[in-house]
Amino acid sequence: MRDEKSRKTVFAKKSFGQNFLIDQNYINKIVSALNPNKDEIIVEIGAGRGALTEKLVESGARVLAIEFDRDLIPVLREKFQSAENFELIQQDALKIDFGQLIENSKFQIPNSKSLKLVANLPYYISTAILQKLIEQRAAFSEMILMFQREVVERITARTMSGERGFLTVLVEAYLKSEKLFDVPPGAFRPAPKIWSSIVRLKPKETVEIEDENLFRELISAGFAQRRKTILNNLKNASQILNKKAFDAETILRLSGIDAKRRAETLTLEEWKKLLKTLS
């Protein structure tokens, strides 16, 4: 998803999954949720035509905008050419090392934890970019992100909810999540067929997960087939079980988890117990 308002007309590209946010009410609500302060560093992924960017620049915050679409780069440069608190990076957000990006910025950033992130993302990269942001969460104090509404419902789903899945547990392990508000299709041009939602994510101070790669493999295997029990899903996870001499039944028993349960019923602490057993 992207923003709109510019001196030149650049049409949304289906290949990039672009839908430009044009409703000033929702733009203002996003800015209010972000609460930018003067001289604070805001990283914006998907600057698009600069509608949200404009509000951020006006706030006095220093805006580090990232845009992948080359056709939008001259539009943004023209629009913000006189703004000293604006910097533009033409790059794919999925390939960015945010720590390195910040080090190379023209802005003097004494403490990376003071950075905030805002992103209005194409739906098709939402899961991939979220996983990347989790990996590089140390760069940010908080993130205000727009996703497809169903993705936000999944991210914030509680234990026992049918919406709970791999992404839920992954986010819950590393971030504090809060759904803020929905955004209707009519707020965009072109209008998507589905609703969007805004979520606030903040890195947890304490995570207590030693092997993050194994943790991702574990919860991915646990949710491989949602209608199956955790036992049946783990039985098929040979890439994990081969790392231990135990079979799936033994691992679950040692972790104190009923083998007949399904993955969505497990709490984060129970996933951590499974991980500890496997480690």
Side-chain angles (χ1 to χ4, degrees):
M1 311 293 292
R2 303 283 162 84
D3 308 314
E4 174 180 278
K5 198 176 181 182
S6 148
R7 296 169 189 144
K8 296 181 180 179
T9 300
V10 178
F11 295 101
K13 297 175 182 175
K14 288 185 178 181
S15 59
F16 284 3
Q18 292 174 336
N19 300 84
F20 297 116
L21 182 62
I22 63 169
D23 191 309
Q24 287 297 318
N25 175 50
Y26 289 101
I27 290 171
N28 290 335
K29 288 183 73 172
I30 292 171
V31 174
S32 178
L34 192 63
N35 189 28
N37 298 310
K38 190 176 186 303
D39 294 329
E40 186 175 42
I41 308 295
I42 306 293
V43 177
E44 181 189 9
I45 298 178
R49 295 175 179 172
L52 178 58
T53 315
E54 182 175 24
K55 294 293 184 180
L56 295 174
V57 170
E58 289 175 354
S59 74
R62 290 177 285 177
V63 181
L64 181 56
I66 300 167
E67 177 52 55
F68 181 54
D69 188 348
R70 293 180 180 177
D71 291 339
L72 289 168
I73 297 302
V75 175
L76 291 165
R77 283 179 177 159
E78 179 185 356
K79 186 168 188 176
F80 300 107
Q81 58 185 331
S82 62
E84 294 183 359
N85 60 328
F86 173 78
E87 182 177 2
L88 179 61
I89 305 293
Q90 195 273 313
Q91 199 167 345
D92 183 350
L94 289 173
K95 298 179 180 179
I96 288 178
D97 180 323
F98 287 99
Q100 185 176 4
L101 180 74
I102 292 163
E103 288 180 6
N104 296 334
S105 170
K106 73 176 184 180
F107 301 132
Q108 296 298 313
I109 307 175
N111 179 11
S112 63
K113 290 298 287 184
S114 67
L115 295 174
K116 291 181 180 178
L117 173 73
V118 62
N120 190 5
L121 300 162
Y123 294 143
Y124 73 94
I125 68 166
S126 59
T127 299
I129 194 67
L130 184 53
Q131 291 189 62
K132 182 177 183 66
L133 292 174
I134 288 173
E135 292 172 2
Q136 300 190 22
R137 63 194 179 276
F140 304 103
S141 60
E142 72 174 290
M143 298 173 272
I144 302 294
L145 307 177
M146 180 183 290
F147 293 118
Q148 179 179 343
R149 184 163 61 180
E150 287 74 11
V151 172
V152 172
E153 289 174 351
R154 198 174 308 138
I155 289 172
T156 57
R158 304 299 180 188
T159 306
M160 300 298 294
S161 168
E163 299 295 327
R164 195 170 175 83
F166 166 80
L167 207 56
T168 318
V169 180
L170 191 65
V171 169
E172 186 180 3
Y174 299 104
L175 306 168
K176 298 176 183 177
S177 65
E178 177 190 5
K179 179 180 175 180
L180 299 180
F181 54 88
D182 295 325
V183 184
F188 303 90
R189 291 293 182 274
K193 296 180 179 179
I194 50 182
W195 281 64
S196 304
S197 294
I198 304 294
V199 63
R200 187 197 311 276
L201 302 174
K202 290 186 176 183
K204 289 184 174 180
E205 294 182 4
T206 305
V207 172
E208 299 177 346
I209 294 175
E210 294 184 3
D211 191 333
E212 296 191 3
N213 290 330
L214 181 58
F215 182 67
R216 284 193 297 272
E217 290 180 10
L218 173 63
I219 57 178
S220 178
F223 284 100
Q225 297 187 57
R226 299 183 61 86
R227 294 190 177 185
K228 287 193 173 184
T229 63
I230 186 68
L231 171 62
N232 286 333
N233 277 331
L234 290 184
K235 278 183 176 180
N236 295 325
S238 57
Q239 76 279 11
I240 296 178
L241 297 181
N242 287 342
K243 297 177 182 179
K244 297 290 290 186
F246 303 138
D247 56 23
E249 291 93 335
T250 303
I251 290 171
L252 289 166
R253 178 173 54 80
L254 291 174
S255 302
I257 296 172
D258 186 342
K260 295 180 181 180
R261 292 171 62 186
R262 292 182 177 176
E264 64 264 25
T265 70
L266 270 64
T267 65
L268 176 59
E269 291 307 312
E270 287 175 318
W271 285 108
K272 287 182 180 180
K273 287 180 182 179
L274 277 173
L275 179 66
K276 188 175 182 180
T277 303
L278 285 167
S279 300

